Amino acid sequence: MFETLLVNFLFLLLPVVIFLIFFENKQYTYNKIILILLSSVTMFLCMTIPIRLDIGFIFDLRYIPFIVVALFGGYKNAFPLYLVLNIYRFYLGGEGTIQSFLFSTVIFIIVPLLSKKFSQLQSKNRIFFATFVSFFTMGFYLFILSTFFDSLTREFWILTINALTTHVGMMLIIMTLIERIIINIKNRERFFHTERLSVIGELSASVSHEIRNPLTVTNGFLQLLKSSKNLSQDEKRYVEFALQELIRAEKIVSDYLTLAKPQSKNMIYSNLEVETEYTKDLITPFANMHQVNVQYCFNNSLKINYDKNQIQQCMINLYKNAIEAMKEKGGGTLLIDISEQKQNILIKIQDTGIGMTKEEVLRLGKPYYSTKEKGTGLGMLMVYSTIDKLKGKVEVQSVKGKGTTFMITIPV
Ligand code: ADP
Ligand code: MG
């Protein structure tokens, strides 16, 4: 029995290990399909080589991959596994086929229902949650099985203890591994992200300051030249072009400057009300121009230390992106909601614009990533860097064609 247990453990490890080695690094869109395929294979193997107890009973671990996929992926991803499970079970045939079909249907209906709740849990709680689910599934199974017996024999109780401990133990191990992998991936991404921001911050501070002075001087001389009377029409136009390009260069430089360290003369201790309100007023004419209706709601008493210029710039960047996203759809609603939750300030900025695909969301905040003709691709970088300095986090939910929601959480 111990050997089959080990073999089954190996089956369960299979998707975890293969995924970790070959696919974890790549953000393939078909990662999910690979995971479902691997889980199906595991389920298939678990059913092929079940665990035989000396007392004559057999049981297998097919519900472990099933529950894991159902909890992480919901109905959509659990369905292929449900199919594989039942097709193979019908193929195997024999006693209890119908019961197995009914049982798996009940599990298929109930477990993915918990998926939403599951995804909101913290890593550690997810491990326990999944373990409980597998404990109850097995308990439910054994309970149904018990109704087929006239009296519960010693053998039945041995089976119960074996099946339950195996399921709970295996689920604990597998879930711990999966959660560890998820944490590692997240940590690595965060590391790269902060690394990128700090490099940019340092570079930008030094370079921007150096470039700003010559730009201002050039601007001044060009202005003088423009007002000169001996210029031909064409020459005037060239000067005009040069000035326009200078303004653009200055804009990029000032975007970069705001990426630099907060300046002590701008630091204040407040609840963001003045800044968010001011920037909202600032952006409203721009919103009206594009048929965007602005809804503003402020409800926060928590105070933090921050650089007011940077926060203003950050809010403007977010509002501007939102409005520009709606401009292309001919209007919409921009919802700005600042609230508090426990010891966090929550800033929600929601638009009904063109939205983004998953890939586009992943590219947000990378320097120079822009889909706009005149975009600089620095706006979101600045947003991330500002929030990062406040130890906050930015979450993005977006549906292509429907709209985008930015959720910013800043700890106090
Ligand atoms: P820019 O606005 O200059 O293009 P940003 O860094 O502000 O640069 O934004 C980068 C890109 O992210 C934009 O070009 C756009 O494609 C996308 N984006 C940002 N915010 C939104 C939004 N609210 N809705 C849709 N797309 C967005
Ligand atoms: Mg922008």
Side-chain angles (χ1 to χ4, degrees), residues 31-41 69 77 80-81:
N31 260 358
K32 254 193 206 145
I33 301 174
I34 292 169
L35 276 174
I36 292 174
L37 265 176
L38 289 171
S39 312
S40 309
V41 172
V69 171
N77 298 313
L81 289 195

Side-chain angles (χ1 to χ4, degrees), residues 258-267 306-307 310 389-390:
T258 47
L259 284 175
K261 291 206 178 65
Q263 288 180 306
S264 54
K265 70 174 196 305
N266 294 332
M267 291 304 278
Y306 57 91
D307 179 316
Q310 291 195 351
K389 278 176 222 150
L390 296 171

Side-chain angles (χ1 to χ4, degrees), residues 363 366-378:
R363 295 184 64 180
K366 302 231 162 94
Y368 307 116
Y369 166 65
S370 174
T371 53
K372 295 168 198 161
E373 205 181 322
K374 288 210 168 141
T376 59
L378 291 173

Side-chain angles (χ1 to χ4, degrees), residues 317 320-321 324 372 379-380:
N317 289 350
K320 240 183 103 209
N321 280 347
E324 281 165 351
K372 295 168 198 161
M380 283 311 296

